[in-house]
Amino acid sequence: MTTRHAGWRDNPLQWAEHEARLGAKRVEEAVGGPARTRVVVLLACVLGLDAADKGATGALAAQLEAAFHIGNVELGLLVAASSLVGALAALPFGVLTDRVARVRVLAAVVLVWSAAEALSAASSSYLMLLLIRIGLGLAVGAAGPMVASLTGDLFPPGERGRVYGFILTGELVGAGVGLVLAGDIATVLTWRGGYGVLAIPGVVLAWLLWKRLPEPARGGQSHLEVGQAEIPSAEEVEAHPERYPQPGPDDAGADDAEHPVLEEVRHRGVEADPAIVVKGDPTGMGLWQAVRWVVRVRTNLALIIASALGYFFLGGVRSFAVIFVRGWYGIGQASASSLVLVIGGGAIAGVIVVARLTDHWVGRRRFDARMLSGAGGYILAALVFLPALLIHSLAPAVLLFVVAAFFLA
């Protein structure tokens, strides 16, 4: 402890570099090696871009309302319109994801996102800004299915909850970065600088995706083992199939009869519903045929509704959190942004902790663990969040908001 303090006092830059390397090493150990870490960081940054944009809109709310003479309804529409278009665009882009080189398209989408941020900074009217945000929603709709597809092809099923938890932290961190960065820049360069600065990371990320993330093989032959240093590309798998065997149903080469999920199905006497059994190659489905099949599966429908409600709530919080905190507790922009970051820390903890727990429960044959943890999280978040909104005392309210964020995320 004394040595570390002395290092900080004598050479703070060297100490900071040392601490950063230790932090990066811990992250790499938690994720499972350099190749896995690269994938997780890049995909987390993709989700973080959209979250940073929405967080920035919340941080710039007061300036946007003053600049365009709008109210909270018009401000909320900036986020809602982008999100709604993104949700609708996810349907055709989801079909496209099964047919194209995803990494290249994802890099192009990120460049479009950066261009939209730059155009947002140059907006001369509210209508222009709104139309640009709607266009931005198209990029958001393309990114979601591709991130999910790449995750599935690079990580085995038994680890996807934990790994996707790490990736989703990018969304939460991005929201915090956008909130603070845009808010601080806006105090010097107005709201235009707040949007403009967010265009820069997208260009860098697009280049990194293009250069550092090869297109993986579909079907699991590019699954990354713990400690693996490189990511096998689809071309490499095709050229050397003997090195990358097709994984079995549980990624361990088991026969169908030995698969634990199928064993549980047989044990409970669950019969297949002929109406929703996929016959033939599902990638050959048309868009509306695929949509009809997805919503006929009740679990899928429940997940879609739950996800929509959750993101609806999160969108509102990201858009109006700073306005609410400043008005309700009578504090300044900097203090409000700091409080929102603290609350975001609870959300990050919730994603990581519960992802690990559900993977553990699923491994112990509790195959409904993810559905139950999601349902329980929503109920507990509502029970904690409602009283937090009514408390005028800052300290207990923030504590309740942190706990609510943990359960919701």
Side-chain angles (χ1 to χ4, degrees), residues 223-407:
H223 279 173
L224 299 174
E225 302 295 334
V226 174
Q228 194 167 322
E230 296 299 329
I231 305 167
S233 66
E235 291 81 2
E236 184 179 352
V237 170
E238 185 177 355
H240 304 284
E242 71 282 355
R243 298 181 190 173
Y244 307 99
Q246 186 74 27
D250 60 353
D251 280 359
D255 295 329
D256 282 356
E258 299 171 350
H259 193 277
V261 175
L262 293 179
E263 286 182 9
E264 188 70 14
V265 166
R266 295 188 180 103
H267 175 72
R268 297 191 183 189
V270 178
E271 298 292 335
D273 182 352
I276 57 175
V277 173
V278 177
K279 300 176 178 66
D281 184 1
T283 60
M285 285 185 178
L287 172 59
W288 296 115
Q289 183 184 4
V291 170
R292 286 195 301 270
W293 177 81
V294 167
V295 298
R296 290 181 73 176
V297 178
R298 286 179 294 175
T299 302
N300 291 342
L301 189 60
L303 290 172
I304 291 169
I305 294 172
S307 180
L309 291 173
Y311 275 102
F312 173 78
F313 179 82
L314 284 174
V317 170
R318 284 188 294 209
S319 300
F320 298 105
V322 173
I323 292 178
F324 171 78
V325 170
R326 289 182 63 180
W328 192 250
Y329 301 111
I331 60 178
Q333 174 81 24
S335 299
S337 298
S338 300
L339 286 180
V340 173
L341 284 181
V342 171
I343 295 168
I348 292 173
V351 167
I352 294 175
V353 170
V354 178
R356 284 179 173 272
L357 285 176
T358 52
D359 274 351
H360 172 73
W361 291 332
V362 169
R364 297 179 66 86
R365 305 177 72 87
R366 285 302 308 267
F367 301 115
D368 55 356
R370 292 191 176 103
M371 295 293 286
L372 292 176
S373 65
Y378 270 28
I379 293 169
L380 292 171
L383 291 176
V384 176
F385 190 81
L386 286 174
L389 288 174
L390 304 175
I391 295 176
H392 281 278
S393 180
L394 185 59
V398 169
L399 178 60
L400 289 174
F401 281 133
V402 169
V403 175
F406 177 93
F407 287 129

Side-chain angles (χ1 to χ4, degrees), residues 78-278:
L78 290 175
V79 176
S82 175
S83 299
L84 180 59
V85 170
L88 295 175
L91 296 175
F93 276 114
V95 175
L96 185 66
T97 295
D98 293 331
R99 294 166 167 78
V100 299
R102 295 156 292 180
V103 175
R104 292 184 179 182
V105 175
L106 193 57
V109 163
V110 171
L111 283 178
V112 171
W113 183 93
S114 290
E117 291 296 335
L119 289 172
S120 295
S123 297
S124 58
S125 67
Y126 172 76
L127 179 59
M128 180 179 176
L129 181 60
L130 178 61
L131 292 175
I132 293 169
R133 313 311 289 171
I134 291 173
L136 183 63
L138 294 173
V140 174
M146 291 182 186
V147 168
S149 177
L150 289 168
T151 303
D153 281 332
L154 288 165
F155 297 95
E159 297 181 75
R160 283 180 198 156
R162 181 175 66 88
V163 170
Y164 207 64
F166 284 123
I167 294 173
L168 285 176
T169 59
E171 189 172 14
L172 300 170
V173 171
V177 169
L179 182 72
V180 174
L181 184 62
D184 290 346
I185 293 294
T187 59
V188 180
L189 301 176
T190 76
W191 63 269
R192 296 185 186 277
Y195 275 132
V197 72
L198 294 179
I200 300 171
V203 177
V204 177
L205 179 58
W207 183 85
L208 289 173
L209 287 168
W210 187 274
K211 293 293 185 181
R212 300 291 292 158
L213 183 60
E215 178 71 22
R218 298 180 187 270
Q221 287 175 285
S222 289
H223 279 173
L224 299 174
E225 302 295 334
V226 174
Q228 194 167 322
E230 296 299 329
I231 305 167
S233 66
E235 291 81 2
E236 184 179 352
V237 170
E238 185 177 355
H240 304 284
E242 71 282 355
R243 298 181 190 173
Y244 307 99
Q246 186 74 27
D250 60 353
D251 280 359
D255 295 329
D256 282 356
E258 299 171 350
H259 193 277
V261 175
L262 293 179
E263 286 182 9
E264 188 70 14
V265 166
R266 295 188 180 103
H267 175 72
R268 297 191 183 189
V270 178
E271 298 292 335
D273 182 352
I276 57 175
V277 173
V278 177

